[in-house]
Amino acid sequence: MAYSCKSLLLLSFLILYGSLPLSQSNQFCDAGVGYTESTCGFPSTSSSKLLIKGGTVLNAHNQEVADVYVEDGIIVAVRPNIKVDEDVTLLDATGKYVMPGGIDPHTHLAMEFMGTETIDDFFSGQAAALAGGTTMHIDFVIPVGGSLVAGFEAYKKKAKKSCMNYGFHMAITKWDESVSREMEIMVKEKGINSFKFFMAYKGSLMISDELLLQGFKRCKSLGALAMVHAENGDAVFEGQNRMIDLGITGPEGHALSRPPVLEGEATARAIRLAKFVNTPLYVVHVMSIDAMEEISKARKSGQKVVGEPVVSGLVLNDSGLWNPDFITAAKYVMSPPIREAGHDKALQAALSTGVLQLVGTDHCTFNSTQKAFGIDDFRKIPNGVNGIEERMHLVWDTMVESGQISVTDFVRITSTECARIFNIYPRKGAILVGSDADIIIFNPNSSFEISARTHHSRTDTNVYDGRKGKGKVEVTIVGGRVAWQDDELKVAPGSGKYIEMPPFNYLFDGIDKADAKYLSSLQAPVKRFSAS
């Protein structure tokens, strides 16, 4: 249906002041501003001892039928037929999979962006994650006034509402000596081991190649992973102006203004600059064949490059952007854009063959009122889609049920590889003795249906609305406590835990030897004599 300016203003008023009817689950999470524990879930009353009986335990490296015994949030035994005393919470997992909770490497909760703030904060976003089997996420801290320390403190305050595990990446938006010093503080004192550089969003977050080089060098010296949002921001700016000149102002203009070639170019440029510095590189939200092929070529040459597709790029195509209803079309606007059909299948194939390594979401949600800021100009539509709740189900249905990957590969791409890359394995990402008890019980024979009416995000739209599939998370356990069971959340704001991530992950192994080999190969400087 069409939306007039008057109706949009009314919609805005209703949402802002709480008069718009919401689903029961959205009411649960919508209590976020003035909530109490009684109105927003409740802490689990389960015992500090937990026994999961009879399931098939999945790790990235193997699967076995075994019981899992947990005490005080730690896995203390994984073997068949564990006998325990009576003071234990029992969960029957017979005929089901028991696997590490999902780790989402790419989220934006309570992020101030494009003149507004994402609708999901560190409580509603995490509640949605738990309902979808994700037990940890890594969010991006945006500096405040260019200051990393100020940004970190602001995000720690935002995260006081958290109800599960979380970590931080840090964005770099400018460069000077103070930023260089603060990067060291982030790594050595704050538990951050990754820094993101935006090659897009000209005039706000975008950085130059000079800054990129300086940032890559500093990351290498600190043992921190350099990450890039790879799009050519100057060319995107030109493409946006071109669309406006052609009279294309709707959501379709967003995709047309930033085609795959611009993602491919920026990915190639970042890869080459990382090779020049000789530091590992992580490319976030790989959305196109163009970018994927650059990553594939680099990896085949031996360069240490990680490619992260996101769920929207794996399972959607850009047809929704041409929907005649603005609100429907605008909900699909994200950057890089969701691509035309064909890119999704190619990204799935790349994920199944190891060209791409793990799956994120880029969960960055805005409601229909916020999206309507760009009703007359696609450049003003806040960029972002949902996915933190849907990721595990959609990846299983798309990749496992289709036979493209194994059940152990599913664990690898949704949990274990993320834990390895960000240096928290095997504390996270594994069902092993000594690992944190972040566990899900997954029923491969059950089914799911996604709906904006029943999801746990605060947004009133869902880019996967109506999608059905096989495989469902039935129980989510965080730190040994049941947080999701029987389609009911059992969480309280403030119960979450910040996870510090140390530097020098496995990707840095051999970097010093490669540097030494390079220096020895230079055969320089050459001693010369002057002609008389």
Side-chain angles (χ1 to χ4, degrees):
M1 80 183 168
Y3 285 76
S4 67
C5 290
K6 183 176 180 180
S7 65
L8 284 168
L9 286 171
L10 177 61
L11 180 65
S12 176
F13 178 87
L14 290 173
I15 290 174
L16 287 171
Y17 293 95
S19 300
L20 189 67
L22 296 169
S23 68
Q24 184 176 6
S25 60
N26 277 344
Q27 287 175 346
F28 162 78
C29 285
D30 198 53
V33 176
Y35 58 70
T36 65
E37 292 190 6
S38 62
T39 59
C40 258
F42 45 89
S44 171
T45 56
S46 62
S47 165
S48 62
K49 298 177 182 179
L50 184 69
L51 180 61
I52 305 170
K53 292 285 293 181
T56 299
V57 175
L58 294 183
N59 280 298
H61 63 284
N62 75 332
Q63 65 180 75
E64 60 179 325
V65 177
D67 299 342
V68 180
Y69 180 55
V70 173
E71 285 189 2
D72 299 323
I74 303 296
I75 297 170
V76 297
V78 182
R79 63 176 187 270
N81 303 315
I82 296 175
K83 306 298 182 184
V84 294
D85 57 32
E86 294 182 356
D87 185 27
V88 175
T89 300
L90 291 174
L91 295 172
D92 184 6
T94 304
K96 303 170 186 178
Y97 290 120
V98 178
M99 66 180 84
I103 306 175
D104 189 339
H106 189 154
T107 63
H108 299 281
L109 302 182
M111 178 190 183
E112 297 170 22
F113 185 53
M114 296 185 72
T116 186
E117 183 173 315
T118 55
I119 199 70
D120 277 326
D121 61 18
F122 276 81
F123 182 70
S124 67
Q126 291 185 356
L130 291 168
T134 289
T135 55
M136 179 176 173
H137 70 105
I138 312 177
D139 211 81
F140 288 87
V141 173
I142 307 299
V144 173
S147 168
L148 278 55
V149 171
F152 180 84
E153 293 303 321
Y155 269 73
K156 285 290 285 185
K157 185 176 181 180
K158 293 178 181 183
K160 286 183 177 180
K161 297 178 180 180
S162 68
C163 56
M164 68 180 227
N165 301 310
Y166 66 96
F168 286 144
H169 310 289
M170 175 66 70
I172 303 295
T173 56
K174 72 169 191 175
W175 189 260
D176 55 29
E177 282 304 311
S178 66
V179 171
S180 180
R181 288 193 300 271
E182 286 189 323
M183 286 178 71
E184 184 172 7
I185 293 171
M186 293 299 109
V187 172
K188 294 184 177 180
E189 300 178 20
K190 305 299 183 182
I192 291 177
N193 66 2
S194 50
F195 295 91
K196 182 179 180 181
F197 303 87
F198 289 88
M199 302 172 75
Y201 300 118
K202 185 173 182 177
S204 58
L205 299 172
M206 178 179 160
I207 51 87
S208 65
D209 284 356
E210 180 184 7
L211 190 157
L212 201 59
L213 279 168
Q214 295 300 323
F216 282 3
K217 287 164 59 180
R218 189 58 168 146
C219 283
K220 179 181 178 180
S221 70
L222 293 170
L225 185 58
M227 314 175 80
V228 289
H229 172 138
E231 288 182 288
N232 187 311
D234 290 320
V236 167
F237 184 74
E238 170 63 24
Q240 290 174 327
N241 289 336
R242 180 188 299 174
M243 292 304 111
I244 296 299
D245 290 344
L246 291 171
I248 301 172
T249 61
E252 71 277 10
H254 178 75
L256 294 171
S257 70
R258 49 210 311 152
V261 65
L262 302 187
E263 186 186 353
E265 186 280 331
T267 302
R269 180 158 38 102
I271 286 171
R272 284 159 174 76
L273 292 178
K275 184 175 183 178
F276 177 66
V277 174
N278 188 28
T279 196
L281 181 69
Y282 184 114
V283 184
V284 305
H285 49 41
V286 178
M287 298 293 286
S288 67
I289 294 172
D290 304 54
M292 178 269 290
E293 288 182 340
E294 294 295 340
I295 293 167
S296 177
K297 184 166 60 176
R299 288 177 62 85
K300 285 178 181 177
S301 74
Q303 190 173 347
K304 296 180 178 182
V305 180
V306 174
E308 171 212 89
V310 290
V311 176
S312 54
L314 290 171
V315 307
L316 299 175
N317 62 57
D318 69 350
S319 58
L321 289 164
W322 272 261
N323 193 294
D325 172 45
F326 173 84
I327 293 299
T328 299
K331 74 179 180 180
Y332 294 100
V333 170
M334 65 173 291
S335 294
I338 298 167
R339 305 299 186 182
E340 65 182 350
H343 289 268
D344 52 346
K345 299 298 183 184
L347 294 175
Q348 290 173 27
L351 186 62
S352 68
T353 56
V355 172
L356 303 175
Q357 288 71 52
L358 73 168
V359 182
T361 61
D362 194 11
H363 183 90
C364 185
T365 50
F366 300 95
N367 64 22
S368 55
T369 302
Q370 292 170 305
K371 290 282 190 176
F373 293 167
I375 193 167
D376 297 318
D377 186 345
F378 68 84
R379 296 172 298 181
K380 298 177 182 178
I381 300 172
N383 291 191
V385 301
N386 61 290
I388 200 169
E389 183 170 357
E390 299 79 12
R391 180 181 72 124
M392 300 287 279
H393 292 114
L394 289 173
V395 172
W396 181 276
D397 186 61
T398 302
M399 301 299 295
V400 179
E401 287 298 320
S402 66
Q404 294 186 78
I405 64 172
S406 67
V407 293
T408 52
D409 280 338
F410 175 79
V411 173
R412 175 178 55 82
I413 66 175
T414 61
S415 183
T416 306
E417 189 59 25
C418 184
R420 292 183 68 233
I421 289 169
F422 296 103
N423 224 10
I424 50 176
Y425 180 87
R427 178 185 177 189
K428 305 290 185 184
I431 305 292
L432 297 172
V433 174
S435 298
D436 288 352
D438 301 329
I439 303 168
I440 61 174
I441 300 176
F442 187 91
N443 189 342
N445 299 312
S446 189
S447 60
F448 67 86
E449 180 175 358
I450 297 170
S451 170
R453 298 296 300 174
T454 57
H455 69 199
H456 296 83
S457 167
R458 286 196 184 123
T459 187
D460 57 344
T461 64
N462 190 310
V463 293
Y464 312 104
D465 206 1
R467 192 177 181 106
K468 300 177 182 179
K470 193 173 181 182
K472 190 174 189 299
V473 175
E474 293 189 342
V475 180
T476 304
I477 299 161
V478 182
R481 298 283 180 173
V482 175
W484 168 258
Q485 187 178 23
D486 299 326
D487 292 331
E488 184 177 28
L489 281 161
K490 303 180 179 184
V491 292
S495 60
K497 186 175 182 180
Y498 177 62
I499 305 299
E500 294 190 2
M501 299 177 289
F504 292 104
N505 67 23
Y506 76 93
L507 295 169
F508 284 87
D509 294 347
I511 290 288
D512 55 344
K513 293 180 180 179
D515 284 342
K517 183 178 180 181
Y518 164 74
L519 291 173
S520 67
S521 72
L522 294 178
Q523 298 181 335
V526 175
K527 293 183 179 180
R528 291 183 171 85
F529 59 87
S530 299
S532 59

